[in-house]
Amino acid sequence: MANRSRTGLPPQMQLSPMTPLYHRVYTTLRQQLVDGLFEAGQPLPSEPKLARFHSVGRVTLRRALQQLEAEGLILRRPGAGTFPARPKARRKRHENLHGWLGPVVAVADGTSVKDLTFETVQAPPEAAEALELKPGEKLLRIQRMRLKHGEPVIFATIYIPPEHAGLFSRETMDQRTTTEVLEQSGVPLTIVDQSLSARTCDGPVAEALGLSIGTALIFVKRTLRDDQGRPVEYFESYYRPDRYEYRQRLSRTGKGASAGDGWSSFDAESQD
């Protein structure tokens, strides 16, 4: 059996000793909630069970739960338990495929690939919503790590809906991106919904990138659509900020370069 600390996690996945215990519990539970690992409508394990599992006291656990409740991720019902909150509806906005996040996604050009998993799974809530599938519907999940000079830079999880899953195999994916496979298979890619934010890493992400749980990373997610507006791929990726940097130069538009003018960008660049 693997050597584990009092937290119940492998040594390589421990947070810094300076990280408060409640924040470790909060980080772990938050990612599990975001990933849909707790069944909707069903209560989370009781406070005593959660406290034992995370090897913390009830006071520490309650502080973590209070933070999750403040963020709207859980609902605490006296006498009934603690429940996952319903996912908030998101307003969707379409952007051209070559939007400002292009260089972020295109960093793959200078890296090598290490495939981690290639399997059929039930769609987690966020992937089901992005691909317009029913929760729990089967889809293809591909997890890969990208390396620069042998060092991990990106951990990516790609979800492919059932109608396109047959286009992919370990052979067709050899050092190619899923976008390349789709395009070379005749799928017309015209629209992408994408966002860039910060997210703390947990579990497999921390282990794959050689980081501690709770480390803040650059988080990119995108949904690719065909020329009929149908989603054909949902992609999540975590970038190590110490090995990746995004830069962009802007210039004023208009002859007067006044405060009322807009801005246009030169070619953005990504560095790793």
Side-chain angles (χ1 to χ4, degrees):
M1 181 179 295
N3 182 33
R4 291 177 178 263
S5 74
R6 64 178 294 274
T7 64
L9 295 170
Q12 71 271 21
M13 296 171 62
Q14 297 304 304
L15 286 171
S16 164
M18 301 299 292
T19 303
L21 281 178
Y22 88 89
H23 188 76
R24 175 179 61 78
V25 178
Y26 154 79
T27 298
T28 301
L29 289 175
R30 187 186 191 283
Q31 198 62 56
Q32 290 173 342
L33 288 160
V34 169
D35 291 341
L37 300 184
F38 295 109
E39 187 175 352
Q42 297 298 316
L44 274 63
S46 66
E47 289 189 4
K49 287 184 178 180
L50 285 173
R52 285 196 300 270
F53 181 80
H54 293 282
S55 300
V56 297
R58 296 280 291 276
V59 173
T60 298
L61 176 68
R62 285 173 179 166
R63 186 174 178 186
L65 293 176
Q66 287 170 356
Q67 188 163 343
L68 292 169
E69 184 179 27
E71 292 184 15
L73 291 172
I74 60 173
L75 299 173
R76 305 178 76 183
R77 300 172 183 168
T82 301
F83 295 79
R86 290 181 178 274
K88 295 181 179 178
R90 296 178 176 86
R91 181 183 177 185
K92 294 185 177 180
R93 182 166 63 93
H94 289 173
E95 296 288 352
N96 189 288
L97 180 59
H98 300 290
W100 72 275
L101 277 180
V104 180
V105 184
V107 69
D109 293 343
T111 61
S112 60
V113 176
K114 179 180 180 181
D115 287 319
L116 303 177
T117 64
F118 191 96
E119 58 190 347
T120 300
V121 299
Q122 290 186 331
E126 196 162 6
E129 179 185 359
L131 295 173
E132 300 175 5
L133 301 174
K134 296 178 180 178
E137 190 170 342
K138 295 294 181 65
L139 45 60
L140 175 64
R141 182 179 69 186
I142 302 167
Q143 289 184 315
R144 7 177 54 182
M145 186 162 60
R146 289 196 170 272
L147 304 98
K148 188 77 169 182
H149 307 305
E151 297 293 333
V153 179
I154 307 167
F155 179 90
T157 301
I158 307 109
Y159 296 95
I160 305 295
E163 59 268 29
H164 295 300
L167 301 175
F168 296 86
S169 67
R170 290 188 181 275
E171 289 71 30
T172 60
M173 286 292 293
D174 184 31
Q175 296 300 313
R176 291 201 290 170
T177 67
T178 51
T179 301
E180 290 172 333
V181 173
L182 287 166
E183 288 184 318
Q184 292 169 13
S185 299
V187 180
L189 304 179
T190 59
I191 296 294
V192 61
D193 300 309
Q194 54 190 6
S195 66
L196 171 69
S197 61
R199 181 176 289 189
T200 55
C201 65
D202 183 28
V205 178
E207 186 171 15
L209 294 178
L211 300 169
S212 298
I213 290 177
T215 301
L217 302 177
I218 301 169
F219 179 67
V220 175
K221 63 179 179 179
R222 65 174 180 172
T223 304
L224 282 175
R225 296 177 180 272
D226 63 17
D227 57 353
Q228 301 299 312
R230 296 169 299 203
V232 297
E233 175 195 280
Y234 175 63
F235 172 101
E236 296 181 342
S237 59
Y238 293 83
Y239 293 68
R240 285 191 57 145
D242 58 333
R243 295 176 181 167
Y244 177 83
E245 183 179 32
Y246 176 79
R247 294 181 181 179
Q248 187 176 34
R249 173 176 287 185
L250 303 176
S251 65
R252 284 284 193 186
T253 59
K255 296 182 180 180
S258 65
D261 292 326
W263 293 87
S264 63
S265 65
F266 293 90
D267 289 337
E269 61 181 15
S270 57
Q271 300 184 357
D272 43 47

